[in-house]
Amino acid sequence: MLPPAVERACQMFTAEQYRAKAAEFRASLTNTPRPPNETREFLDLEQTYTTLAENEEWMAAHIDKTIQRRKNYDNRAALAEDEEQILKCLCASVLMRWNTVPTKLQRELFDCASSIGDLQQTTPLKGRIARFLHNHKNDQQKSD
């Protein structure tokens, strides 16, 4: 089992929550005229949340085709530490190669990372992630 803070951060939203978020972006486009680049961004966000909702619905309908976590682990604490270490390593490896990742994939990873957790915290989280990436954008090049 993951530590409570990690568990909360990794919880997925329901399809309804994703659809509600998509509807927010759609409504914001109809209520206020926006510049083309902002309109495109809102349309992209709407599509992203709609896709996430569709994925959640597919997962719910096909749960029997997914790999399930075993209910009773003998040593939950050791497994949680192991999983946390794996996640840290994966995150670090992505960050170390961030500048070599295609821009489109960077955006997708950024959007995905900033949508994990509480929907109300999406905007502040996006800002924190963006600042982190900006502050560390040249770290790999410095160590090479």
Side-chain angles (χ1 to χ4, degrees):
M1 181 172 225
L2 293 172
V6 175
E7 186 81 28
R8 273 192 311 278
C10 294
Q11 287 177 343
M12 295 290 208
F13 301 122
T14 65
E16 293 79 23
Q17 289 171 309
Y18 283 128
R19 290 206 187 279
K21 195 67 175 171
E24 282 180 38
F25 287 113
R26 189 177 324 106
S28 67
L29 286 171
T30 58
N31 296 338
T32 308
R34 300 189 182 281
N37 61 334
E38 196 172 303
T39 298
R40 179 79 252 149
E41 183 178 347
F42 276 55
L43 288 170
D44 288 346
L45 287 167
E46 177 191 3
Q47 181 59 49
T48 296
Y49 281 101
T50 300
T51 300
L52 290 167
E54 291 167 354
N55 289 345
E56 283 300 309
E57 289 166 346
W58 186 93
M59 291 292 291
H62 298 91
I63 193 76
D64 58 320
K65 297 177 182 173
T66 61
I67 298 172
Q68 299 296 310
R69 182 182 282 221
R70 290 179 295 196
K71 299 286 184 209
N72 296 316
Y73 284 115
D74 294 334
N75 189 348
R76 289 183 187 268
L79 287 170
E81 288 176 18
D82 188 46
E83 287 179 356
E84 188 172 351
Q85 181 64 26
I86 290 168
L87 289 172
K88 285 179 182 178
C89 291
L90 286 170
C91 291
S93 66
V94 169
L95 289 173
M96 288 185 340
R97 297 292 177 222
W98 187 257
N99 292 333
T100 65
V101 174
T103 305
K104 183 177 180 187
L105 182 54
Q106 283 182 350
R107 284 191 201 113
E108 290 175 17
L109 291 169
F110 176 80
D111 288 340
C112 183
S114 59
S115 69
I116 293 174
D118 183 2
L119 279 175
Q120 301 300 321
Q121 296 300 316
T122 298
T123 301
L125 181 59
K126 269 189 169 184
R128 288 178 26 225
I129 293 171
R131 279 189 299 281
F132 179 88
L133 290 172
H134 177 75
N135 291 339
H136 298 283
K137 68 182 176 187
N138 295 320
D139 286 358
Q140 179 61 30
Q141 292 152 344
K142 291 175 191 171
S143 66
D144 287 343

